[in-house]
Amino acid sequence: MNATLLRNGRIINNGQDFSGDVLLFNGVVAEISNTSITQNDCTTIDCQGCIISPGLIDIHVHFREPSSGKHEETTETGIASAVNGGFTTVCTMPNTIPAIDTSKMVESAIKLANQNGQCRVLPTACATIGRQGETIAPIDAIVSAGAIAITDDGDVVENDEMMSAVLAHCAKNNVPFMQHCQDPKTTIGGVMNAGKIQQELGLGPWPRSAEESIIARDIRLNKPIGAKWHAQHLSSGGSVDLIRKAKANNQPISGEASPHHLLLTDEACRDLGTMAKMNPPLREQHDINLIKEGIADGTIEILATDHAPHPLHTKNMPFDKASFGIVGLDCALALYAKALIDDGVLDWASMLAMMTRNPATLINRPELGSLAVGNRADITIIDPNLTWTIDSQIFASTARNCPFDGWKVKGKAIATIYSGVLTSQCLSDRINHCNTA
Ligand SMILES: [Zn+2]
């Protein structure tokens, strides 16, 4: 007997929002009810005051394995960070060293992740060999091997003909393409948002047009192809309207927003230095406002961290030489809540859809984004009112490159359940083992 009863929670699932119990049995969801479930001989978790959600999904993480030794994060520590943050499924980016661009490498990435057994790791694979943009990767074979999406993340696919060929292969294999929208011609030497603060600091400019021009180009190229096309880590307000218009024309387009692009502006580059150095860069308040408008009206449907762990010595450098990026998984949920719920943009139900159902739909794994009888029991229990202070020193990730240290936030995953097994919990007084109902 391997039963767990989640008692008396607020069940937010697939457009529904009600109070009740969820019973897990042998790794799958056995019953969901708006009344009390009776079950003998089980572990019970008291979910009073908490949300019971399908397990959180992050479609954009970097786990750095294989690596040249430059990075400390591994698949194992990345998974620990995901579990700590309440995530049960993550999609890893292929810009490892070497890059994941063959079916064999996809197979080894899956094998490595499965050894851990604490979180579902779905690798993406490259669009072009070595992410060099010159030779198309064997997309048919890497999708057959299990790659969940195609991307050269970290770099754009720059050449128009290559991009069209990649999109055609993605459409044929019914797999999404995820674009890192950065025109390299307009970002040479660019390290932060082109604007007043960049001029004040005397750093290289990175204009909004670098992102917007790629989105506009890809929408044009994809029109006759119709592949599932997804814009990663949106930073510019102007990008939102491009996506909005393409969606209005029924193009299969989507976009993601990241915690840092919702909460920080380019002023953080002056105040926090390299901890605020991001790719794409932090923009201005009006960009944040437009991205939030896009989230509120459903133009942007997915939240993703771009979890980019870096050893601190690569951040403790002059701004133009330091690494780009931010560690994300441990504290993402509370940061999204701060940006979107505290600000009245969304309620918990609509925000969690952006972390469960919507990303699951994009990657063609809808069963991962909803609780249903018979589905694997991937569940996140969230206390929406728990207040805490972000402290990167206690992150499960090896990395500490976090500009949110010391922020007071509200909302935390208090238990992560993967395939029916409790992989993390922070409130053990809610757990009971009973022999009778
Ligand atoms: Zn990227």
Side-chain angles (χ1 to χ4, degrees):
M1 181 73 96
N2 182 10
T4 304
L5 181 58
L6 312 180
R7 267 197 202 286
N8 214 6
R10 176 183 171 193
I11 301 167
I12 293 181
N13 176 38
N14 216 1
Q16 293 186 308
D17 187 347
F18 59 95
S19 296
D21 290 3
V22 179
L23 178 66
L24 320 178
F25 188 73
N26 284 344
V28 300
V29 176
E31 191 178 349
I32 303 170
S33 174
N34 59 3
T35 56
S36 280
I37 295 172
T38 304
Q39 175 67 37
N40 294 326
D41 190 14
C42 67
T43 300
T44 62
I45 302 179
D46 170 15
C47 297
Q48 180 75 39
C50 293
I51 294 166
I52 300 173
S53 167
L56 304 181
I57 300 171
D58 188 345
I59 58 163
H60 190 160
V61 306
H62 298 267
F63 281 177
R64 315 298 192 195
E65 199 168 355
S67 142
S68 61
K70 187 177 150 212
H71 289 286
E72 290 158 0
E73 193 85 306
T74 61
T75 301
E76 193 179 349
T77 61
I79 286 174
S81 178
V83 168
N84 190 36
F87 292 89
T88 57
T89 296
V90 295
C91 300
T92 46
M93 294 297 114
N95 65 335
T96 49
I97 304 169
I100 311 259
D101 58 8
T102 65
S103 51
K104 226 174 171 157
M105 292 192 73
V106 172
E107 281 159 11
S108 358
I110 292 171
K111 204 169 149 199
L112 181 66
N114 285 345
Q115 281 167 10
N116 178 287
Q118 302 263 302
C119 177
R120 184 172 288 99
V121 177
L122 303 174
T124 66
C126 296
T128 66
I129 298 293
R131 300 166 51 251
Q132 297 296 304
E134 284 161 12
T135 311
I136 193 164
I139 293 176
D140 296 356
I142 56 186
V143 171
S144 301
I148 200 78
I150 300 300
T151 179
D152 272 356
D153 182 37
D155 285 296
V156 71
V157 177
E158 187 182 3
N159 178 278
D160 288 10
E161 273 175 40
M162 178 63 76
M163 190 63 230
S164 292
V166 167
L167 289 169
H169 276 83
C170 289
K172 181 180 143 205
N173 286 283
N174 188 30
V175 69
F177 176 78
M178 299 177 173
Q179 184 68 288
H180 172 100
C181 304
Q182 177 194 352
D183 178 357
K185 292 189 288 298
T186 56
T187 55
I188 298 164
V191 290
M192 71 170 286
N193 179 49
K196 210 170 116 239
I197 294 179
Q198 165 260 321
Q199 286 166 13
E200 192 185 304
L201 297 175
L203 295 167
W206 186 312
R208 292 176 179 80
S209 60
E211 179 173 289
E212 294 165 11
S213 62
I214 295 297
I215 294 177
R217 180 204 67 167
D218 282 7
I219 288 170
R220 176 172 55 79
L221 294 177
N222 193 37
K223 202 171 171 193
I225 299 169
K228 262 187 171 181
W229 183 93
H230 176 77
Q232 299 183 298
H233 42 47
L234 292 165
S235 70
S236 166
S239 300
V240 181
D241 209 39
L242 292 168
I243 294 173
R244 184 181 286 119
K245 286 187 176 129
K247 287 178 88 159
N249 286 326
N250 292 320
Q251 288 207 43
I253 301 258
S254 61
E256 74 194 25
S258 315
H260 43 292
H261 291 121
L262 290 168
L263 288 165
L264 298 173
T265 66
D266 58 358
E267 289 182 27
C269 298
R270 182 182 56 204
D271 302 339
L272 301 169
T274 58
M275 282 295 179
K277 184 179 178 186
M278 311 291 179
N279 178 351
L282 301 171
R283 302 289 181 188
E284 294 178 50
Q285 189 58 46
H286 71 270
D287 296 284
I288 293 180
N289 297 345
L290 289 170
I291 292 172
K292 286 185 178 178
E293 269 178 35
I295 288 173
D297 72 11
T299 300
I300 300 170
E301 297 168 81
I302 292 172
L303 298 172
T305 63
D306 189 8
H307 176 81
H310 288 287
L312 274 186
H313 67 87
T314 70
K315 281 285 190 184
N316 294 332
M317 283 187 171
F319 200 97
D320 56 346
K321 300 212 163 44
S323 301
F324 289 98
I326 174 176
V327 68
L329 287 162
D330 288 86
C331 59
L333 177 66
L335 291 174
Y336 293 134
K338 189 173 188 70
L340 300 172
I341 295 176
D342 293 2
D343 231 17
V345 179
L346 298 177
D347 57 17
W348 273 98
S350 43
M351 191 184 90
L352 288 173
M354 296 182 72
M355 304 179 74
T356 57
R357 185 179 55 184
N358 301 352
T361 303
L362 176 72
I363 59 171
N364 301 314
R365 296 291 301 270
E367 77 284 4
L368 300 178
S370 74
L371 300 177
V373 172
N375 277 6
R376 298 306 302 171
D378 291 1
I379 293 174
T380 306
I381 302 173
I382 298 159
D383 183 343
N385 295 311
L386 186 71
T387 54
W388 56 292
T389 302
I390 295 175
D391 176 4
S392 65
Q393 294 305 314
I394 55 170
F395 282 178
S397 167
T398 55
R400 305 287 176 256
N401 51 309
C402 175
F404 296 110
D405 254 337
W407 281 40
K408 288 214 165 13
V409 288
K410 196 166 87 167
K412 199 172 198 333
I414 62 157
T416 311
I417 297 170
Y418 175 63
S419 251
V421 177
L422 196 59
T423 51
S424 139
Q425 95 263 350
C426 66
L427 289 182
S428 53
D429 57 345
R430 285 177 179 268
I431 298 174
N432 269 303
H433 301 273
C434 65
N435 293 319
T436 53

